[in-house]
Amino acid sequence: MDTLQTNNAPEFVWPHDDTSRVPYRVYTDETLYALEQERIFRGPVWNYLCLECEIPNNGDYKTTYASDTPIIVVRDENGDINAMVNRCAHKGSLVCYKPRGNISELSCVYHNWVYNLRGDLLSVAFKRGVGGKGGLTDEFDNRQHGLEKLRVERFRGMVFGTFSDKTEPVSEYLGEELVASIDRVLIKPVKVLGYHSQIFPNNWKLYVENNKDSYHASLLHVFHNTFGVVRPTMGGGIKISDSGWHHLSYTQRTDIADDQIGKEKVRSRQDQYRLQDTRMMEHRLELGDNVTNSIQTVFPTLVVQQILNCLATRQLIPQGPNQSELIWTILGFEDDDEDMLALRVQANNLVGPAGFISMEDGAVGGWVQRTAKANGREMTVMPMGGRTIEPSEGSRVTEAAVRGFWKGWRDCMGI
Amino acid sequence: MDTLQTNNAPEFVWPHDDTSRVPYRVYTDETLYALEQERIFRGPVWNYLCLECEIPNNGDYKTTYASDTPIIVVRDENGDINAMVNRCAHKGSLVCYKPRGNISELSCVYHNWVYNLRGDLLSVAFKRGVGGKGGLTDEFDNRQHGLEKLRVERFRGMVFGTFSDKTEPVSEYLGEELVASIDRVLIKPVKVLGYHSQIFPNNWKLYVENNKDSYHASLLHVFHNTFGVVRPTMGGGIKISDSGWHHLSYTQRTDIADDQIGKEKVRSRQDQYRLQDTRMMEHRLELGDNVTNSIQTVFPTLVVQQILNCLATRQLIPQGPNQSELIWTILGFEDDDEDMLALRVQANNLVGPAGFISMEDGAVGGWVQRTAKANGREMTVMPMGGRTIEPSEGSRVTEAAVRGFWKGWRDCMGI
Amino acid sequence: MDTLQTNNAPEFVWPHDDTSRVPYRVYTDETLYALEQERIFRGPVWNYLCLECEIPNNGDYKTTYASDTPIIVVRDENGDINAMVNRCAHKGSLVCYKPRGNISELSCVYHNWVYNLRGDLLSVAFKRGVGGKGGLTDEFDNRQHGLEKLRVERFRGMVFGTFSDKTEPVSEYLGEELVASIDRVLIKPVKVLGYHSQIFPNNWKLYVENNKDSYHASLLHVFHNTFGVVRPTMGGGIKISDSGWHHLSYTQRTDIADDQIGKEKVRSRQDQYRLQDTRMMEHRLELGDNVTNSIQTVFPTLVVQQILNCLATRQLIPQGPNQSELIWTILGFEDDDEDMLALRVQANNLVGPAGFISMEDGAVGGWVQRTAKANGREMTVMPMGGRTIEPSEGSRVTEAAVRGFWKGWRDCMGI
Amino acid sequence: MTVTDIDNGLMLRLRIEALNADYIHCIDDDRLEEWPDSFTEDGVYRVTTRENADLNLPVSLIYCQGRGMFHDRISALRTANIFEPHTYCHSVSALQILESTGGVHRTKSNFLVTRTMSEGAMMTFACGRYLDTIVEQDGALKFRERSVILESRRIDTLLVIPI
Amino acid sequence: MTVTDIDNGLMLRLRIEALNADYIHCIDDDRLEEWPDSFTEDGVYRVTTRENADLNLPVSLIYCQGRGMFHDRISALRTANIFEPHTYCHSVSALQILESTGGVHRTKSNFLVTRTMSEGAMMTFACGRYLDTIVEQDGALKFRERSVILESRRIDTLLVIPI
Amino acid sequence: MTVTDIDNGLMLRLRIEALNADYIHCIDDDRLEEWPDSFTEDGVYRVTTRENADLNLPVSLIYCQGRGMFHDRISALRTANIFEPHTYCHSVSALQILESTGGVHRTKSNFLVTRTMSEGAMMTFACGRYLDTIVEQDGALKFRERSVILESRRIDTLLVIPI
Ligand code: FES
Ligand code: FES
Ligand code: FES
Ligand SMILES: [Fe+3]
Ligand SMILES: [Fe+3]
Ligand SMILES: [Fe+3]
């Protein structure tokens, strides 16, 4: 019995026989949040850490988070990428307190303990004390005092880390369809064109659900529906990994006729609404198909995005039950020419914290969080496309991928 | 056994045989706060929602709160006033995210589910899916997916809502004396002259106690005592509903001789203190009597106020154990003439967040909250006027109404 | 069984057989924090309250805190110094809401209850009611309704208070060595030269450990090591009270030769780094020895400091598990001449929130707090100088004093 | 408009900025007894919220008309009212001269007030607009009317020191 | 440099401060349809972060070039986008004229934006620098380019009203 | 006082505002090595609190007298001291010229400093007054003394960048 077990499962039983209903309590409960740290982010999942191109040279490092756990990603002298918890093994100071840099070793400022770029403890200051007084006793074994290490895998230029030995390789974790779909987007070497961050006043799961929610896209976002980026009448569909954990939702320019839908009036379709300058809606078909929008979600907290020519990774960082931070890394291809760069700069008006499309996903999460406080026992309902977790070809009017996320959550949480 | 029961009563037993002592813990405890949500604000009480005159036309709505629960009050096409929880039955978005407006139906922006002004679900977007794929299954029954409704009653131009079927009609709830006293103040149709809000860094119950505390008025507020608005030597008294939950405290211009009191020196009586401009102390006897001050409190969180010619409702919104918001709605009568309006504008220097009288009630609450943290086991004492909950004619030097509030709290909380 | 017991010990067992390892959970746990209030700050310890010279005249008072408990320290009409909880015995308002002043009695603004400067209740406003109505019943006994009093002891111009009858006299509490060392610093009557406050985004114990951590001084602080204020090769050592609760760490100008150390390269030794203006490093030997630095820590939260000619008391005020406030009271001697004052003004560039030396102790605490959230079960390690709590003559390269602090914590907490 | 007109307009900006600076420091320095002197004898000072202003609601948080009421606000603060000691630090900027005819100037500027309690807690207490009518009086500028429009209707704890 | 030169330089300060005041009040007063008028026809407005600027990364949060895109930002805000109602209160200060030749002025100033939600919650939403290129146009000053450099890369919830 | 005197006084306002702007941007842009240049050779810079000032207590948080100590503050920040990277964004306003004789100007203004940590956390770090003595030196203005009076005695974590 671990006497330090802070995270003993709360007396919480899933209140429904499937994942088509979710109790509001999961968005506000402190104990569940603590349990998520242990069973999800430090559990059998792959946490997105960064892109390889952000630490191109040996010695380059970047700091990031797996929810509450601060992490260092560093490229060592052999060019290997390693990740470790950004917590000194001595008294727990942050080892790297700057967001990025280039180093030959990891040295903690507090008492000058030094680690190599794999996280092994190299030296302890004054280990022999002074004048034979103080210092370490012989029982101290450097090998037992390294930084906590993550298992790292690189995939299509992205760097992932896991705390669990059981997590299968990334490609198996993702499954064939996700692998194919990510291949399609990250088709060439990428470079970073910009960073943004968005602080959501809501639980992280609300934003993840939003990403998996192919039903909302054409209903919440006027720009999607009115300008034909994502329209119910457009082709495409959603795919879900066998595990149910990951999904992709895509839209094609091809229209599928459907009078009934044509007739259905929704706020988000404003045919009279026009842009004076349409440059930002321009779409260069650079990925060899006519897909306007392809959203890949990787459990728990990564999105790989293609919206027209806006490419990005989105890394979500849960920061307590009531807040989360979304890091946008806006991408281009290394071989972009001037025009393509200019086009991406224009197009990125659509995404990010001020994006004509994406800003609205920032608004709704906070609204749900506010109502979640009201009565934690009541439940959301997700009836679209039944109660199962099935892919859907030709239609995105389903909540199957969201139900799949909740399956993943329950798988990890053991709830 | 409800597996989602977050609000299981804490191992909390009332530490005293009556309500003349209150443990400080009740002002800071998170679990008790959660329990209050369920057993008080969503329990057998009438929550003040707004005034009828704030939503005069069909389709007018206003958003408000019953503590943590967001609420919509709307006048439907028949002129009836309905109230429902401002949480979409689908995935919980706020349905109305603007403070006021005029609408013909309630439509949620997230996925375009639409409700009528009674809260019944009218339509689900794409319920038949696209091309026969996705959408709802037959088992889905609109009637089971409306907004959560409150039972509404109008009383003297005020709108009240309750979550419980058991709550008796407002007039019974209030009892004869409160009804009579509210009739006296809201004697004619009112109009709103202004809104203020005050954020108190303290538990809501500290402000409610302050309102019920007829003992403090002439001791804390120099303006009350020095300028003869509320003076211990002035006539009046307090009345308490049979339930003990509600009270009224009133003061008359008639002086009751009492040498002993005349002699007692208190800080709040500064006979040498004078105003250069006394316009704001002017009092037009508009209610047919010589009452200078009449405070009606309705359990749990409403005050109906007359101070000279300052009329207002005060709605308290608990926002966690350590914060509460007070919404002042400053009133006049529809038939006020120019002079009366000018007089009210002057007189309102006495009340509100910057009121010469009321500002001090804002200060003391935060001070108690700060000391409440120190040792939650210790207790306040309320010995004035004994330990019982009796009205008092001719004297306000009693804490009976505060003891009555705690009876109400215990009645609801089952503690 | 106390039904109000909020602070029931959490199911927390010390995870290690000695205090050379500390679980991160102790820095973040709300329940442990509540328990510390009861068992440490309101337990058998001496809380530093202020200096005698801050309330020189009868009637002078100052407000302070023992962690969450607000306290009044006042000099009464006999010149005695008394301390009481700053919470009215009636309904709990702060009695003194200004930081300092001079008064003849303690009168609460809320209902005008009045106490003498010893905290005894003198009078209750309107205790006989009005016209024989209201007021107190005979059962009310003033003697049972005074302010909660602390036991006060003065020591070398400092004022201490305790809530426990069991706490031994200050000099015994400190032990001979601490008494001698404090005598050495507070050798003459002092005066206050300035106040600073620092808000640490971390648990109070991280700052206390930092003070007890004689190992870090020459490794974190470039100014210490580079300019020879505290250097591993300089003489001195640490002493620890028999209880293990208190410690002192001192450094002498005398160099102890030690090649091995001379050779050890550490960041904090930058021989090439020079100051253009060295006035602030000037040191007048005013205490009759060549000690450059002498830090006395008194359990739980006091530091008495001499760094060159910078004299100060540092009072730490825990403010929840994740924040603490450090009050610096910068001292000089009453008989300082102009030059000495000018020298202290210069020298104090080294300490305080902007001090070239001390600022860094502000940085590291927050870094540990951030990593403490990550996994509360893991532990810090303190291997320097073994696992015991022994003084060390001639070397400060030991963590014995920190281990001693944790012994004190466990002694009080019963964990 | 001649260069001189421009210059005069620009000079007026500077004089009004100086007036605002004097106004603000008299409050922030706690020289509140001098506060009424920035106004004409019959001057008007009101504090209301953007919500009330937008809804054309007449009641303010503070309404002073004429020296007497200005004086009473300060005397009450000094001797009658109970509150925790605190100070303001004003920022003022974005002065806009809306109209300037016959020595009467209608102007607008933005303010931000940071409040500091005696124990040191700081917060953004208020922000919003000053809507002013300023007149020339014996070669000096005075407020004939200053309307303080608070962005938020929320007041933390209480409002006692003028803004 | 002659006294007159100095004076002209100082006069320019005042004119630019007036321009900034007009710019800010049109936003804070929610007269957003007038916002494009502070810019030249082919003007550029971009909002980026200090991080992106320091790393020379080209993508902004907002990028408008030419009247059409300015108009579209506002029309989307008015008719297309969904967000909770809120207002800004700008502080602007520390105007620095970096260069001024041939009627083209390169300037820098600091801003602080306090955001107020319709229910009253206030927060420091953004702060940073305005890097401007200002030109003379028919006797008035217009922004040829305004680059808003946010100190923080963090945006609370969303950014829809221009800064 | 003649119109010209007024004008000169007003011109002085503008020159001091320009000086403040230069001072602030050199800090906010992290060009700290230039910071000492705003002062005279023997200039004094101190940071203290309103509490210490009110109680006439002599010890400051920062006290620099003479170029050497200014230089040492910056060199320590660059090479010796350990802290988490962060930047300031200053607002300055309400300039008041208290006295101006013989090329020596005593002035007061308000500042507000928003601090942004490298990860993006923003907070109101400090606010208060600048109490300055400014002198003419070869046609430019320099601080002979700048006293920074912080409203709050509380410093979050640490103070390393000058205010
Ligand atoms: S905490 Fe890192 S070396 Fe001590
Ligand atoms: S949340 Fe309202 S329609 Fe989906
Ligand atoms: S609270 Fe102090 S007298 Fe009532
Ligand atoms: Fe979306
Ligand atoms: Fe009151
Ligand atoms: Fe240190």
Side-chain angles (χ1 to χ4, degrees), chain C residues 88 90-93 108 110-113:
Chain C
C88 182
H90 175 221
K91 299 265 293 175
S93 176
C108 178
Y110 203 170
H111 308 87
N112 221 98
W113 288 23

Side-chain angles (χ1 to χ4, degrees), chain B residues 210-211 213 216-217 220-221 224 314 357-358 360-361, chain C residues 110:
Chain B
N210 174 275
N211 290 317
D213 176 1
H216 89 278
L220 175 61
H221 306 299
H224 262 333
R314 303 185 214 152
I357 292 167
S358 56
E360 287 144 350
D361 297 318
Chain C
Y110 203 170

Side-chain angles (χ1 to χ4, degrees), chain A residues 93-261:
Chain A
S93 177
L94 283 175
V95 176
C96 296
Y97 55 90
K98 297 179 181 175
R100 49 180 71 82
N102 185 283
I103 48 176
S104 56
E105 58 187 18
L106 292 159
S107 133
C108 177
V109 295
Y110 202 170
H111 309 87
N112 221 100
W113 288 25
V114 178
Y115 309 84
N116 66 22
L117 300 188
R118 274 163 301 289
D120 307 312
L121 179 60
L122 294 179
S123 66
V124 170
F126 303 129
K127 64 170 172 300
R128 294 201 207 77
V130 173
K133 301 214 190 75
L136 294 174
T137 56
D138 301 344
E139 69 174 353
F140 188 89
D141 175 1
N142 280 13
R143 284 164 305 177
Q144 292 169 25
H145 298 279
L147 300 177
E148 184 179 3
K149 300 173 182 185
L150 284 77
R151 189 152 61 90
V152 169
E153 228 191 272
R154 313 188 198 183
F155 181 80
R156 308 300 188 262
M158 299 183 286
V159 180
F160 292 88
T162 183
F163 285 86
S164 163
D165 306 333
K166 297 184 192 50
T167 323
E168 65 258 271
V170 171
S171 57
E172 288 174 39
Y173 180 78
L174 293 174
E176 276 182 22
E177 292 173 318
L178 263 290
V179 167
S181 186
I182 289 173
D183 282 345
R184 176 190 161 279
V185 177
L186 303 181
I187 192 169
K188 288 184 289 185
V190 295
K191 64 183 172 197
V192 174
L193 301 184
Y195 295 103
H196 314 308
S197 152
Q198 228 170 327
I199 297 291
F200 297 130
N202 55 262
N203 186 278
W204 66 280
K205 296 184 291 295
L206 288 168
Y207 185 72
V208 175
E209 283 183 279
N210 174 276
N211 290 318
K212 306 248 185 190
D213 176 1
S214 49
Y215 177 40
H216 89 279
S218 56
L219 289 165
L220 174 61
H221 306 298
V222 167
F223 270 62
H224 262 334
N225 198 347
T226 301
F227 300 124
V229 181
V230 179
R231 225 177 239 176
T233 54
M234 291 169 72
I238 74 163
K239 295 175 180 166
I240 300 175
S241 65
D242 301 340
S243 63
W245 293 20
H246 324 293
H247 108 297
L248 79 102
S249 172
Y250 67 105
T251 309
Q252 294 160 321
R253 284 221 178 278
T254 50
D255 259 34
I256 52 167
D258 189 323
D259 296 333
Q260 172 262 335
I261 297 163

Side-chain angles (χ1 to χ4, degrees), chain A residues 257-328:
Chain A
D258 189 323
D259 296 333
Q260 172 262 335
I261 297 163
K263 277 202 247 71
E264 184 164 344
K265 282 266 152 296
V266 291
R267 176 193 57 81
S268 56
R269 180 71 179 263
Q270 303 186 7
D271 292 333
Q272 72 296 347
Y273 181 57
R274 291 271 172 281
L275 293 173
Q276 285 193 6
D277 188 323
T278 57
R279 279 178 289 172
M280 74 179 157
M281 302 308 299
E282 220 177 295
H283 182 199
R284 251 204 229 175
L285 303 183
E286 63 181 328
L287 302 178
D289 55 32
N290 66 354
V291 170
T292 52
N293 183 83
S294 183
I295 299 298
Q296 290 67 222
T297 66
V298 178
F299 189 88
T301 48
L302 171 66
V303 175
V304 178
Q305 161 207 299
Q306 174 231 336
I307 299 176
L308 303 178
N309 295 107
C310 302
L311 311 179
T313 61
R314 302 183 215 154
Q315 175 190 15
L316 187 66
I317 301 174
Q319 297 172 334
N322 304 305
Q323 182 174 295
S324 47
E325 179 171 15
L326 183 68
I327 309 288
W328 297 76

Side-chain angles (χ1 to χ4, degrees), chain A residues 24 213 215-216 219 368 381 399, chain B residues 87-95 107-115:
Chain A
Y24 285 102
D213 176 1
Y215 177 40
H216 89 279
L219 289 165
V368 179
V381 299
E399 298 175 296
Chain B
R87 167 158 77 179
C88 183
H90 176 221
K91 299 267 292 177
S93 176
L94 283 176
V95 175
S107 130
C108 177
V109 295
Y110 203 169
H111 308 86
N112 220 99
W113 288 25
V114 179
Y115 308 84

Side-chain angles (χ1 to χ4, degrees), chain D residues 91-153:
Chain D
S91 297
V92 64
S93 65
L95 171 63
Q96 198 177 28
I97 300 177
L98 302 170
E99 196 190 344
S100 180
T101 45
V104 180
H105 317 294
R106 295 202 316 92
T107 69
K108 177 194 281 183
S109 43
N110 278 356
F111 66 84
L112 180 74
V113 175
T114 307
R115 185 191 65 187
T116 304
M117 308 307 289
S118 55
E119 288 186 349
M122 271 192 295
M123 82 177 285
T124 298
F125 179 67
C127 68
R129 316 237 184 308
Y130 286 131
L131 292 181
D132 302 321
T133 304
I134 298 168
V135 295
E136 304 273 353
Q137 203 171 75
D138 339 317
L141 295 174
K142 301 260 183 194
F143 295 109
R144 177 187 291 167
E145 175 165 358
R146 163 151 276 189
S147 288
V148 181
I149 315 294
L150 304 172
E151 279 295 305
S152 173
R153 72 176 184 181

Side-chain angles (χ1 to χ4, degrees), chain B residues 276-336:
Chain B
Q276 286 192 6
D277 188 323
T278 57
R279 279 178 289 172
M280 74 179 156
M281 302 308 298
E282 221 175 295
H283 182 198
R284 247 202 233 178
L285 303 183
E286 63 181 327
L287 301 178
D289 55 31
N290 66 354
V291 171
T292 53
N293 183 84
S294 183
I295 298 299
Q296 291 66 222
T297 66
V298 178
F299 189 87
T301 48
L302 172 67
V303 175
V304 177
Q305 161 205 299
Q306 175 231 334
I307 299 176
L308 303 179
N309 294 107
C310 302
L311 311 179
T313 61
R314 303 185 214 152
Q315 175 190 16
L316 187 66
I317 302 173
Q319 298 172 334
N322 303 305
Q323 183 174 293
S324 48
E325 178 171 14
L326 183 68
I327 309 289
W328 296 77
T329 305
I330 306 297
L331 302 176
F333 290 121
E334 267 184 12
D335 62 6
D336 284 346

